[in-house]
Amino acid sequence: MDRANTRKLMSGYFLYESGRAMYFVLITWFLYQWTDDALYTGLFVSFGFIPGLFSNVIFGVLVDRSNRKKLAVLAGVISTICLVLLTGAFWGGVEHPWLMITAHMIMQTAGSLFRPSLQALVAEVFPKDSLPRIFSWSGSSTVAGSLTGAAVGGVLAGLAAVETSLSVVILLYLGATVTTQMIRYTPVEWKNRSDSSSFWDEMKEGFVYVHQNRILYGLFIMLMLGQLTFHTTLGFLSVYTSSHLKQSALVYGMLDSTFSIGGIIAGLIGTWWWAKCQNRIGIWSLLLIAAGLAIVSFTTLVPMAFLGFLFIGMGTSFVRALLQSVQQMATDSRFHGRMSSLRMLCNQTSVVVAGPIFGVLASSHGAPAVFLCLLIPVTGGVFWAHIQSKQPIFKQITKPA
């Protein structure tokens, strides 16, 4: 395993996620404090993923046909430019809720290109038997970045102007882009691709591949629940902290950081969790999420809220990192980009549909109602994971080496 590439990859994940977390903390806190309406928060979370409903399938084919590092770098450049323009709008005093939502749509679309590009690059650069370890480490780097970005973002939200804080975010995104560019990479799979296949033929092949490999349906559902919980928690955490717990931006940043600490713990014990749970990995990971959701739904005590978000952070990270590894190991390398993008299409569709509903729910019944509502599909996911655990292919992949 190439240590230099590993360090660069982990640094890229850390810087990118630090920037994303800091940006999200700043914008969601400012948006709710300015509008005092959770509906805008729901629209912000939902609308950010709408472009992905159309772009994800296209991005998947691009990743499988093109230089994956160049695509990841391009996505980083787009994100940086968008942030520069958004910061300029704040400096110029022309900020508006819909301007922030529009900028977020661009940021999320760029992220929809960055993530599958980097994931496919990882699967190409590192040996197959190293993927669970690499994805676990990258998950740790990601949540460590979330922890740092959220903590610093919470402090900056209370002490500095939003435009000053966003300048720090720009530097983080720029650093992630440069670090990704430094990864040594020689394209392999796309050179061996048959040039007779058209773009649309390869897109269609992706859907056919999913249908022929039914295990992917179950994995997509469990990963969708993990991502829906992850993004909803991040989106409505500012509303929950301000309106339900009646706490400041500093506590908001600490709760977000605790959510990230749960992810770090999950990354550190990911290999042990895989070996311990084996084919029941989806069941126990989703049960951990359900426990956290139940706690935050019913408590008004700040210490209990910290515990609940710690559990949610651990559970969602187990789902997103380890079950993603299962999906990568169950997928032919020629389809890594397309399967990553189809997975993200499922994830983002769920957020687009649920975001406005949760926004209305939070406005009328409070933020805890959002987490209680999330508990319903997650509980259903536990039963789905039980069915998935009995499949021979799933048992074979999750069996310890």
Side-chain angles (χ1 to χ4, degrees):
M1 192 162 54
D2 191 322
R3 292 185 179 180
N5 271 343
T6 302
R7 287 194 297 269
K8 293 169 187 174
L9 175 69
M10 299 309 150
S11 298
Y13 272 117
F14 177 84
L15 291 170
Y16 186 88
E17 193 61 22
S18 292
R20 186 211 60 78
M22 191 181 300
Y23 152 80
F24 206 88
V25 165
L26 292 168
I27 295 299
T28 54
W29 181 263
F30 178 76
L31 179 64
Y32 183 68
Q33 296 304 311
W34 189 30
T35 63
D36 197 29
D37 190 348
L39 178 59
Y40 278 108
T41 302
L43 294 176
F44 180 85
V45 174
S46 172
F47 279 38
F49 289 109
I50 287 180
L53 301 184
F54 306 98
S55 63
N56 273 332
V57 179
I58 296 174
F59 287 166
V61 180
L62 284 176
V63 169
D64 284 335
R65 291 170 64 97
S66 307
N67 185 304
R68 291 152 179 184
K69 188 179 80 172
K70 289 182 179 179
L71 290 177
V73 170
L74 174 63
V77 170
I78 293 172
S79 297
T80 303
I81 293 174
C82 179
L83 282 168
V84 169
L85 295 176
L86 180 62
T87 305
F90 279 110
W91 279 111
V94 294
E95 69 274 11
H96 189 275
W98 283 105
L99 176 63
M100 288 183 274
I101 291 173
T102 301
H104 188 58
M105 292 171 72
I106 298 172
M107 294 287 291
Q108 288 291 80
T109 304
S112 295
L113 177 60
F114 182 87
R115 283 183 289 273
S117 298
L118 206 57
Q119 289 164 8
L121 178 61
V122 169
E124 185 171 348
V125 171
F126 296 96
K128 187 174 182 178
D129 59 359
S130 298
L131 289 183
R133 184 186 308 170
I134 292 297
F135 277 114
S136 183
W137 287 351
S138 64
S140 296
S141 296
T142 296
V143 294
S146 285
L147 171 63
T148 304
V152 177
V155 173
L156 290 176
L159 299 179
V162 65
E163 54 267 27
T164 304
S165 304
L166 284 176
S167 299
V168 179
V169 179
I170 292 172
L171 294 177
L172 290 170
Y173 269 90
L174 187 60
T177 304
V178 172
T179 304
T180 303
Q181 173 63 33
M182 293 170 62
I183 295 176
R184 291 200 304 272
Y185 171 65
T186 301
V188 176
E189 295 296 339
W190 71 280
K191 286 184 176 180
N192 299 324
R193 172 182 59 84
S194 173
D195 292 329
S196 60
S197 298
S198 70
F199 185 94
W200 300 108
D201 285 340
E202 293 193 17
M203 183 184 296
K204 185 166 59 177
E205 285 176 6
F207 289 101
V208 173
Y209 183 81
V210 173
H211 187 67
Q212 292 175 343
N213 295 268
R214 301 300 182 88
I215 186 177
L216 295 174
Y217 284 128
L219 289 169
F220 284 173
I221 288 176
M222 289 187 286
L223 286 162
M224 178 193 71
L225 290 172
Q227 288 288 70
L228 176 61
T229 305
F230 178 84
H231 289 291
T232 302
T233 300
L234 288 179
F236 285 91
L237 187 54
S238 61
V239 181
Y240 183 88
T241 305
S242 182
S243 66
H244 180 66
L245 297 179
K246 309 296 183 183
Q247 298 296 319
S248 66
L250 180 60
V251 174
Y252 168 43
M254 292 173 63
L255 283 170
D256 199 316
S257 297
T258 301
F259 181 72
S260 299
I261 289 173
I264 293 175
I265 295 172
L268 293 175
I269 66 173
T271 303
W272 172 83
W273 186 261
W274 179 296
K276 190 73 174 177
C277 298
Q278 298 185 38
N279 61 309
R280 296 180 297 278
I281 190 170
I283 299 173
W284 287 107
S285 299
L286 289 169
L287 280 174
L288 193 57
I289 295 174
L293 289 172
I295 291 172
V296 301
S297 297
F298 295 108
T299 190
T300 56
L301 301 176
V302 175
M304 289 299 295
F306 274 99
L307 179 64
F309 287 115
L310 179 70
F311 284 172
I312 297 173
M314 290 178 65
T316 53
S317 293
F318 280 139
V319 169
R320 297 167 71 227
L322 299 182
L323 290 182
Q324 180 181 307
S325 296
V326 175
Q327 182 232 303
Q328 292 281 16
M329 295 169 73
T331 302
D332 187 289
S333 60
R334 295 178 297 116
F335 291 91
H336 276 150
R338 277 165 284 185
M339 294 306 101
S340 293
S341 288
L342 285 176
R343 181 188 70 240
M344 291 172 63
L345 177 63
C346 295
N347 296 341
Q348 295 180 6
T349 299
S350 68
V351 179
V352 167
V353 173
I357 297 173
F358 288 157
V360 173
L361 193 63
S363 295
S364 56
H365 298 287
V370 173
F371 298 106
L372 185 61
C373 188
L374 265 177
L375 187 58
I376 298 173
V378 170
T379 302
V382 173
F383 292 102
W384 182 275
H386 176 70
I387 297 172
Q388 179 96 72
S389 68
K390 296 181 178 298
Q391 294 183 356
I393 298 178
F394 193 88
K395 287 183 178 181
Q396 180 182 355
I397 293 174
T398 54
K399 184 178 180 180

